Amino acid sequence: MQFFNLVSIFLFVSSLFLFRKWKKSNSQTKRLPPGPWKVPFLGSMFHMLGGLPHHVLTNLAKKYGPLMHLQLGEMPVVVVTSPEMAKEVLKTHDLAFASRPKLVAVEIVGYNGTDIAFSPYGDYWRQMRKICVMELLSAKNVRSFNSIRRDEVCSLIEFFRSSAGEPVNVTKRIYVFASSMIFRSAFGKVIKEQDECIRLIKDVSGLVGGFDVADIFPSQKVLHVLSGKKGKTMYLHHKIDTIIENVINEHKQNLATGKFNGQLGGEDLIDVLLRLMKDGSLQFPITTDNIKAIFIDLFAGGTETSSSTVTWAMVEMMKNPSILIKAQSEILDTSDFEGREIK
């Protein structure tokens, strides 16, 4: 009888615990935006099958509205599909959405969130953003890189001139053009491993932006191994890290002798960060890994976006010849195609 009573008490307490957990879960669900029905473990994932993701999300938004909730595995996701809702997320309530989720590839490439793009919102992020705005991308620094931009533009034009009558991968050439500008601005010169480093960063950027099943089931550590993405990202990241480490060490040696590494004898971006690291007055001292993480941010942010914008602008001008003629006229009025301003 005593055993029966103990079992009864245990079952009662267990039932009460499960009921409270269900009630709490149910109340939280009511506060979520509307969305498609879910199944255990997978959540809403199967709704994403059968089409391109942006087409699928568009069709779902027509049914569930501009603010929609999806459960992708273990990860709750809110999908915004209207300008009004985007303003609420990106402007009105921007601080609530400032931090980004911790993804496996991002944590590796960003040196455990010590870069700018993926570091959690807070004092460290504000410090690094201030350094980027006030030091790395100040008006003085941007002007100092003018000769680099001019050289690269002239090289790009000369390449197209020499390739007249031959098929050219314009997208690839514009990407190389943007990449070279970032490298020379950061490192002060063209390094021998530059082409390899550009290829490696492009490959690892593809992994960061790609889908990984481990990211939607973060508690299932075995998936990190089975997917293979973590191992590949670590391999590419190690090779990038070695190249940048060697460049930073060379900069440190030059600075020790009082020599700047910039093309015209001034500071390049690595010099600026090394100066701040040596200064020691920052709330969060800069480490060599921080410098590497910031460089990768600058490279990723200054190449893919810039080259894609230029490529699509050229496509649109080809589709609208009148706009192309107007753009050509404006260029002819301000430059002699050799990079020297004449007005």
Side-chain angles (χ1 to χ4, degrees), residues 65-80:
L67 193 66
M68 176 174 58
H69 170 255
L70 297 176
Q71 185 71 33
L72 303 182
E74 298 174 358
M75 303 301 293
V77 178
V78 175
V79 182
V80 176

Side-chain angles (χ1 to χ4, degrees), residues 146-186:
N146 181 59
S147 61
I148 294 175
R149 293 192 295 273
R150 184 175 63 245
D151 289 347
E152 292 301 325
V153 169
C154 290
S155 297
L156 181 64
I157 293 172
E158 185 57 36
F159 172 81
F160 286 131
R161 279 177 174 170
S162 63
S163 304
E166 300 176 4
V168 174
N169 188 332
V170 176
T171 301
K172 179 180 178 181
R173 294 308 309 181
I174 292 177
Y175 182 85
V176 171
F177 157 72
S179 302
S180 186
M181 282 200 299
I182 297 294
F183 262 87
R184 293 179 63 186
S185 299

Side-chain angles (χ1 to χ4, degrees), residues 40-106:
F41 189 70
L42 295 179
S44 313
M45 287 178 59
F46 60 91
H47 290 289
M48 301 298 297
L49 303 176
L52 296 172
H54 57 290
H55 290 172
V56 174
L57 291 175
T58 298
N59 294 330
L60 288 173
K62 291 177 181 178
K63 183 176 181 180
Y64 296 103
L67 193 66
M68 176 174 58
H69 170 255
L70 297 176
Q71 185 71 33
L72 303 182
E74 298 174 358
M75 303 301 293
V77 178
V78 175
V79 182
V80 176
T81 56
S82 75
E84 294 76 19
M85 287 295 103
K87 182 179 178 180
E88 290 294 315
V89 171
L90 300 175
K91 186 175 181 180
T92 307
H93 302 287
D94 59 325
L95 295 184
F97 297 93
S99 296
R100 303 191 180 189
K102 291 187 176 182
L103 306 179
V104 175
V106 167

Side-chain angles (χ1 to χ4, degrees), residues 104-297:
V104 175
V106 167
E107 288 294 292
I108 296 171
V109 176
Y111 292 85
N112 296 318
T114 59
D115 61 336
I116 302 174
F118 293 98
S119 64
Y121 178 77
D123 292 337
Y124 173 80
W125 178 86
R126 281 189 288 268
Q127 172 186 287
M128 303 313 292
R129 183 180 182 277
K130 182 178 180 180
I131 288 173
C132 191
V133 173
M134 302 298 293
E135 296 280 355
L136 300 181
L137 301 178
S138 66
K140 179 182 177 182
N141 256 10
V142 171
R143 283 195 300 269
S144 71
F145 302 140
N146 181 59
S147 61
I148 294 175
R149 293 192 295 273
R150 184 175 63 245
D151 289 347
E152 292 301 325
V153 169
C154 290
S155 297
L156 181 64
I157 293 172
E158 185 57 36
F159 172 81
F160 286 131
R161 279 177 174 170
S162 63
S163 304
E166 300 176 4
V168 174
N169 188 332
V170 176
T171 301
K172 179 180 178 181
R173 294 308 309 181
I174 292 177
Y175 182 85
V176 171
F177 157 72
S179 302
S180 186
M181 282 200 299
I182 297 294
F183 262 87
R184 293 179 63 186
S185 299
F187 296 156
K189 63 179 181 179
V190 177
I191 62 174
K192 63 180 180 179
E193 303 94 344
Q194 181 166 305
D195 291 342
E196 179 189 5
C197 195
I198 290 173
R199 177 182 58 80
L200 290 170
I201 295 179
K202 189 173 179 64
D203 288 345
V204 83
S205 296
L207 291 174
V208 170
F211 173 77
D212 185 9
V213 68
D215 288 329
I216 60 175
F217 294 104
S219 68
Q220 306 298 318
K221 301 302 181 183
V222 67
L223 293 178
H224 297 184
V225 179
L226 295 178
S227 70
K229 184 175 179 179
K230 181 177 180 180
K232 188 174 182 180
T233 303
M234 291 182 68
Y235 171 76
L236 293 174
H237 177 66
H238 175 71
K239 299 190 75 171
I240 295 169
D241 180 88
T242 301
I243 294 173
I244 303 176
E245 177 85 29
N246 292 336
V247 173
I248 292 175
N249 289 336
E250 181 182 347
H251 276 60
K252 288 179 178 179
Q253 293 173 5
N254 289 337
L255 291 173
T257 62
K259 177 185 176 183
F260 286 124
N261 297 277
Q263 189 176 31
L264 300 178
E267 288 183 315
D268 58 29
L269 300 182
I270 300 298
D271 287 334
V272 173
L273 292 171
L274 287 174
R275 169 169 54 82
L276 294 172
M277 181 172 73
K278 185 179 179 180
D279 182 60
S281 61
L282 297 173
Q283 179 183 359
F284 299 94
I286 295 179
T287 67
T288 301
D289 280 352
N290 294 150
I291 295 177
K292 298 172 189 174
I294 293 171
F295 167 74
I296 292 176
D297 268 4

